[in-house]
Amino acid sequence: MPSYERLGELLDPASTVLLTVECQQGVVGPDSALPELAREARSSGALRNVARLVAGAHESGVQVIHAVAERRPDGRGANRNARLFRAAERLPVHQLAGSTAVRVAPPIEVAEEDLVVRRLHGLSPIHGTEVDALLRNLGCRTLIVTGVSANVAVPNAVFDAVNLGYTVVVPADAIAGVPAEYTPAMIRNTLALVATIAATDEVLGCLTRARQRR
């Protein structure tokens, strides 16, 4: 884990953005299309830690962006070029635009100043979406990546952000994937090579100290 001094340098509220990835009711809620992932996100404490980070960001003036995956009822524009997409079409819960499934899931609270970016295609919350342009307009230099899943969308977000020139911080206890043992392996062997790995309490501590210095 990084020192508080090093992490504090990265987490300047004026140039930091917090991204939540697919923390929507149809993914991590009680009626999830992916019940194993939803159980892991909740039982591991990852979803609770995402909520804590969002609340801390609101208090510290850090911009929050919620990245949501959805599809049209007719499926237009959606990918079908991988097993994952084809399997999603057969799931009992679809992430339909405008439905409860694509609302940000409790206990995360969405503030009026938060931005919600919705995508109809692909695997990444960043590539092919508005997120990069929004980050640049917000003056972002450091992106905190949270949410699900450690299998696909979270590493996609981390790689895309690094390729675009952002510094990435991943709170290890605020992401989840399946099976449970896969997440720490992904963090240790892949994400740690390109991002700063921290704990939720460390990130919140830095944001609190930054707020107290103002």
Side-chain angles (χ1 to χ4, degrees):
M1 297 294 183
S3 68
Y4 263 124
E5 290 73 17
R6 165 65 176 156
L7 192 60
E9 291 172 2
L10 297 178
L11 297 177
D12 176 359
S15 58
T16 297
V17 173
L18 172 66
L19 179 70
T20 76
V21 177
E22 295 182 24
C23 292
Q24 57 203 75
Q25 295 202 40
V27 176
V28 296
D31 297 320
S32 170
L34 303 164
E36 184 182 3
L37 177 59
R39 283 194 299 270
E40 180 59 27
R42 292 177 176 276
S43 65
S44 67
L47 188 61
R48 181 175 65 252
N49 285 331
V50 174
R52 293 175 61 213
L53 287 163
V54 168
H58 291 158
E59 293 173 0
S60 302
V62 169
Q63 179 66 53
V64 178
I65 298 178
H66 304 282
V68 173
E70 62 182 30
R71 59 182 287 125
R72 289 167 49 111
D74 60 12
R76 287 182 182 272
N79 290 68
R80 294 181 177 83
N81 58 335
R83 284 179 55 199
L84 179 64
F85 302 123
R86 295 191 294 273
E89 291 180 348
R90 298 192 295 270
L91 292 172
V93 178
H94 290 166
Q95 314 298 321
L96 297 181
S99 70
T100 301
V102 297
R103 295 178 186 168
V104 176
I108 299 168
E109 295 188 3
V110 180
E112 185 177 354
E113 64 268 22
D114 292 1
L115 299 170
V116 180
V117 176
R118 304 179 182 278
R119 77 179 195 275
L120 291 171
H121 61 86
L123 300 170
S124 174
I126 297 178
H127 179 73
T129 75
E130 297 176 278
V131 170
D132 179 38
L134 293 173
L135 293 177
R136 294 188 186 283
N137 289 346
L138 291 164
C140 176
R141 291 198 300 269
T142 298
L143 184 65
I144 305 170
V145 176
T146 67
V148 297
S149 72
N151 305 74
V152 178
V154 167
N156 263 268
V158 172
F159 294 148
D160 285 349
V162 171
N163 284 330
L164 289 166
Y166 302 103
T167 297
V168 179
V169 172
V170 176
D173 52 356
I175 68 171
V178 290
E181 59 271 18
Y182 182 78
T183 300
M186 165 58 78
I187 292 169
R188 182 175 60 253
N189 297 307
T190 302
L191 299 185
L193 302 178
V194 295
T196 296
I197 308 301
T200 293
D201 285 345
E202 291 176 314
V203 172
L204 290 173
C206 288
L207 295 183
T208 297
R209 290 199 298 175
R211 185 169 70 247
Q212 291 171 343
R213 288 197 297 268
R214 290 190 303 203

